[in-house]
Amino acid sequence: MKWQPFMSTFVLNKMCELISSGVRTDKGFKEVHLNTVAKQVFEFCGQEVSATQVYNHLRKWRSRWIQVSKLRDLSGASWDENTCSIVLEAEHYTGHVADHPRDAEFLNTPIQNYNQMQHIFSSGLATGKHAMGSGEPLGSPMPDFPGTPDVEILDGPDKPAAKPFDKPFDPVDRKRKRGGLMQEEINVFCSMTEAVKEVATAIRECKPLDVHPDLYGAVMTQGGFSDEALMAALSHLLDNKAQGVGFVAMADAHRVLWLRSWLGKHYY
């Protein structure tokens, strides 16, 4: 089947809705959610698709997002927020497209489904009460943080009226209250320390693996294959770092043989 632009936009919008509802973890979507979107595609346009087809289509858009992110960092490029366009001066554009013709569709023109790609692929983890641990089942929100202890209002419009003569001054009682307040502060600081440790652990776990800087060009410049097939192979190599590095190190003829073999088994 061939994905039509309106179908792609529909799928990406549905994935954004799933993310907003907090069902995705740092490892991606579960098959049940892919099946749900596949069913919604059929209800929307009558085209039967499988969860695998939805997954592979998302991989294609992930590869496009990687390419767009790379192009946004081009020297001399500016970003038009209103049109979601990567803008190059005419002379710079002509020279770049001459060397990289596949980049033309992303330069000096609105990028299709940019906001949806950004929402799906730029952040891997939800936050707040919808955040998930890597070992937790999908769709099980973490419990809310425990409530903080009551804090006395020291100043402001809600400050209670002072009653200086209600009780005689007692130095011992004052020390006891101060000790209690310090214990509450210690409890709060301990809770904050644990929360900071959890955040640091999450950041370390979701740190992306570096990919070879020449991988994109090594894959996408191969002739004799469709863009979609090359995008699928690129996505696989991005997910498998060792294979990606090995692919870049291959001779050009060996790259063609590898692509034919891999695409014949996994794509066509």
Side-chain angles (χ1 to χ4, degrees):
M1 64 164 289
K2 182 174 178 62
W3 287 87
Q4 300 299 326
F6 73 92
M7 294 171 60
S8 296
T9 301
F10 179 82
V11 168
L12 294 175
N13 284 336
K14 290 301 177 183
M15 287 299 172
C16 288
E17 292 176 9
L18 286 173
I19 294 172
S20 298
S21 67
V23 301
R24 186 184 68 174
T25 68
D26 54 335
K27 294 185 178 180
F29 300 93
K30 271 197 170 183
E31 186 174 0
V32 63
H33 303 115
L34 298 174
N35 280 322
T36 298
V37 173
K39 181 179 178 181
Q40 290 171 334
V41 170
F42 178 75
E43 294 172 350
F44 173 64
C45 63
Q47 175 67 55
E48 290 189 3
V49 295
S50 65
T52 302
Q53 286 174 307
V54 173
Y55 173 74
N56 287 336
H57 196 54
L58 284 175
R59 288 166 65 93
K60 169 191 170 182
W61 281 98
R62 176 174 174 265
S63 298
R64 291 172 68 89
W65 172 252
I66 293 171
Q67 185 178 2
V68 168
S69 300
K70 179 180 177 182
L71 291 175
R72 284 196 61 173
D73 293 333
L74 278 176
S75 176
S78 60
W79 175 251
D80 188 332
E81 190 69 37
N82 295 325
T83 61
C84 294
S85 304
I86 301 170
V87 182
L88 291 177
E89 296 294 337
E91 183 178 352
H92 190 180
Y93 172 84
T94 302
H96 181 86
V97 171
D99 295 332
H100 309 278
R102 296 179 186 274
D103 293 345
E105 64 174 306
F106 301 111
L107 299 173
N108 290 0
T109 185
I111 298 173
Q112 182 186 14
N113 297 319
Y114 176 85
N115 291 326
Q116 293 93 326
M117 287 192 293
Q118 184 182 44
H119 190 55
I120 297 170
F121 304 118
S122 66
S123 55
L125 288 174
T127 58
K129 71 178 182 179
H130 293 301
M132 309 290 176
S134 59
E136 293 181 273
L138 196 59
S140 300
M142 293 175 64
D144 294 336
F145 288 108
T148 55
D150 294 336
V151 179
E152 180 184 0
I153 301 173
L154 300 179
D155 201 357
D158 297 326
K159 178 180 177 181
K163 299 181 180 180
F165 303 110
D166 283 355
K167 186 177 181 180
F169 176 76
D170 185 352
V172 176
D173 187 52
R174 180 179 178 181
K175 290 181 180 179
R176 184 166 56 250
K177 288 183 178 180
R178 181 174 179 81
L181 179 59
M182 289 178 64
Q183 184 59 45
E184 289 180 357
E185 291 175 0
I186 291 172
N187 292 336
V188 172
F189 283 131
C190 288
S191 299
M192 290 175 62
T193 301
E194 291 302 317
V196 171
K197 287 181 180 178
E198 292 177 5
V199 172
T201 301
I203 291 174
R204 285 194 297 269
E205 290 177 351
C206 70
K207 182 180 179 181
L209 292 173
D210 294 331
V211 297
H212 198 289
D214 297 329
L215 179 59
Y216 177 81
V219 176
M220 300 307 295
T221 55
Q222 298 300 318
F225 304 96
S226 67
D227 288 352
E228 290 191 0
L230 291 176
M231 284 289 189
L234 175 62
S235 181
H236 168 77
L237 293 173
L238 288 170
D239 290 339
N240 297 271
K241 182 182 177 183
Q243 291 187 33
V245 173
F247 184 87
V248 174
M250 291 180 186
D252 219 28
H254 292 167
R255 292 174 182 172
V256 173
L257 293 175
W258 186 92
L259 285 170
R260 287 177 180 170
S261 174
W262 187 87
L263 292 172
K265 294 178 181 179
H266 302 90
Y267 183 78
Y268 295 117

